[in-house]
Amino acid sequence: MKQKSKLTGTDDQTGGDFKPRLTINDIARMAEVSKKTVSRVINKSRFVKEETRLRVEAIISEHDYEPDPQARGLAFRRSFLVGMIYDNPNPQYVVNMQQGVLDGLAGTGMELVIRPCDRKSPGYLDDLRGFVERQKLSGVIMPPSVSEDEALVAMLRRVDCPYVRIASIGLDKPDRMVITHDRKGGEQAGKHLAELGHTRIAHISGPASFLSSHERRGGFIDGLASHGLTLAPEFSLQGEYTYASGMTCGRLLLDRVDPPTAIFTGNDEMATGVYNIARELGFSIPGDISVVGFDDSPVAERMWPPLTSVRLPIREMGRVAALTLFHDPLDGDPPAHAFAPHLIQRHSTAPPVKIGPS
């Protein structure tokens, strides 16, 4: 009976040498990369640096390595689907984010599945777990405000689903985050209006359940304080990041006997509602009332007058989130995952001239 020596690697009957079958772990060790990176090279993923790809391919070729079909099948227990889970009332934000994620996934063979949710509904976590498991997702991207939901994050960890969170501040390990620094943007808005000479300045924030609402408001208060101003309680209203809430809050502010001369809204969608109410009540922009938005969405340039807004590159944020999701730490530095908002001044802001309707 033919037997192979466990120690010498020779055939005991013939003395012939044989080569033990290499594993993916052996290739990874020789190439000084992770097992995940070797798998990506084998499967032609573009989420590998060219230098790394060439090194791994050279070792595979040199050692005539062939992936174990059974092991490879197990590696593909996930689908080629990436989920984007969102709970955001602003449709333009969702569309821009979706386009960015698709940019990041281009050429990878991955497809995007969009899944809205309502975090206030009972059983929503069970619903999302079913979604993740049924689709066998390769990863999940979470824009605000689902990115701030620790219960959802804990569920994804339990089912071993990779994820990336987009949020105003760091909430997780750096390789799981895209940070937007919304507070800095709010501060710029406050400074801008104060520098124009406004003192009666109002703010319409987003929903209390959004961390970005608090960060933008906090930054705005900081910006006013740097010029010796405060946000008066009667000029601080809470909206819902929607056009309708912008109209409602705008009417409450501009219907006052002593209306503000400037309004900073937590996003551009609410700013459009303020525009509509201002015109209805006979206020000119920026003659009677200056308006600043946040996000610098495409609508900001299309409004009349064009809207001064704090720019966050939403599409680019989505693209970076997709790249971050598939980045292997052993492949080098991750993509830059922090964004600094900055104010884009247009024609909706000017020094105060008069108070009240035309």
Side-chain angles (χ1 to χ4, degrees):
M1 178 177 175
K2 217 175 185 180
Q3 292 183 342
K4 292 181 179 178
S5 167
K6 295 179 181 178
L7 298 176
T8 64
T10 59
D11 185 307
D12 287 346
Q13 187 173 30
T14 65
D17 291 336
F18 75 93
K19 292 184 179 180
R21 182 186 183 91
L22 290 179
T23 69
I24 193 171
N25 290 323
D26 296 323
I27 300 297
R29 176 175 46 78
M30 287 186 283
E32 297 182 335
V33 298
S34 70
K35 177 180 174 182
K36 184 190 296 185
T37 296
V38 176
S39 178
R40 287 177 182 165
V41 171
I42 292 169
N43 294 300
K44 310 299 183 186
S45 168
R46 76 176 182 88
F47 291 113
V48 181
K49 290 182 179 179
E50 186 62 18
E51 177 185 351
T52 304
R53 181 191 304 279
L54 292 175
R55 184 167 75 252
V56 173
E57 287 178 344
I59 291 172
I60 288 174
S61 176
E62 178 185 352
H63 294 277
D64 296 324
Y65 171 72
E66 293 184 6
D68 182 345
Q70 184 177 4
R72 196 177 183 196
L74 290 173
F76 277 91
R77 65 187 182 277
R78 296 194 185 279
S79 67
F80 290 94
L81 299 177
V82 171
M84 187 178 98
I85 300 174
Y86 72 91
D87 180 9
N88 193 309
N90 183 350
Q92 186 63 62
Y93 185 98
V94 174
V95 169
N96 292 349
M97 183 66 67
Q98 174 183 335
Q99 290 172 333
V101 174
L102 288 171
D103 291 342
L105 295 178
T108 67
M110 293 285 179
E111 301 293 342
L112 180 63
V113 181
I114 305 296
R115 181 62 155 79
C117 72
D118 180 359
R119 292 195 295 139
K120 297 185 290 291
S121 67
Y124 96 97
L125 276 177
D126 290 336
D127 291 343
L128 289 181
R129 178 167 184 158
F131 164 69
V132 171
E133 293 182 331
R134 284 192 305 274
Q135 301 295 331
K136 297 182 173 63
L137 296 180
S138 291
V140 167
I141 292 171
M142 295 181 286
S145 65
V146 294
S147 61
E148 302 153 15
D149 192 321
E150 296 300 335
L152 173 57
V153 170
M155 181 273 286
L156 292 173
R157 289 172 179 161
R158 284 196 298 273
V159 300
D160 194 27
C161 181
Y163 64 84
V164 170
R165 306 162 77 172
I166 303 170
S168 304
I169 60 175
L171 301 171
D172 213 315
K173 297 177 182 177
D175 60 351
R176 296 182 183 272
M177 287 298 311
V178 173
I179 303 171
T180 57
H181 296 299
D182 293 41
R183 191 179 190 94
K184 294 180 181 179
E187 182 178 2
Q188 291 177 47
K191 288 181 176 179
H192 173 63
L193 293 173
E195 288 166 0
L196 287 173
H198 293 276
T199 58
R200 301 178 58 77
I201 307 173
H203 176 49
I204 304 173
S205 68
S209 59
F210 279 60
L211 179 60
S212 61
S213 300
H214 301 281
E215 289 294 300
R216 295 174 187 184
R217 184 178 185 275
F220 181 62
I221 291 172
D222 291 343
L224 296 181
S226 69
H227 287 72
L229 301 176
T230 59
L231 176 61
E234 63 270 24
F235 284 166
S236 179
L237 301 181
Q238 182 181 306
E240 295 296 328
Y241 278 162
T242 62
Y243 172 80
S245 68
M247 288 183 63
T248 299
C249 293
R251 185 183 297 278
L252 290 172
L253 291 169
L254 297 180
D255 256 347
R256 294 176 58 90
V257 175
D258 54 348
T261 62
I263 300 175
F264 168 49
T265 63
N267 71 351
D268 293 345
E269 192 76 8
M270 292 193 297
T272 62
V274 170
Y275 264 50
N276 192 36
I277 287 299
R279 292 196 179 94
E280 180 184 313
L281 297 178
F283 286 79
S284 69
I285 300 173
D288 299 313
I289 183 80
S290 287
V291 182
V292 178
F294 201 108
D295 288 338
D296 195 37
S297 58
V299 72
E301 289 188 289
R302 299 168 188 164
M303 298 164 69
W304 187 258
L307 176 67
T308 296
S309 184
V310 177
R311 173 174 292 174
L312 265 182
I314 297 168
R315 182 166 180 166
E316 178 65 7
M317 287 153 45
R319 186 185 76 85
V320 169
L323 295 176
T324 301
L325 182 63
F326 291 102
H327 177 74
D328 189 326
L330 294 181
D331 291 341
D333 295 334
H337 62 277
F339 292 87
H342 62 282
L343 187 84
I344 304 298
Q345 186 173 353
R346 298 193 179 94
H347 301 299
S348 67
T349 53
V353 176
K354 57 184 178 178
I355 300 176
S358 305

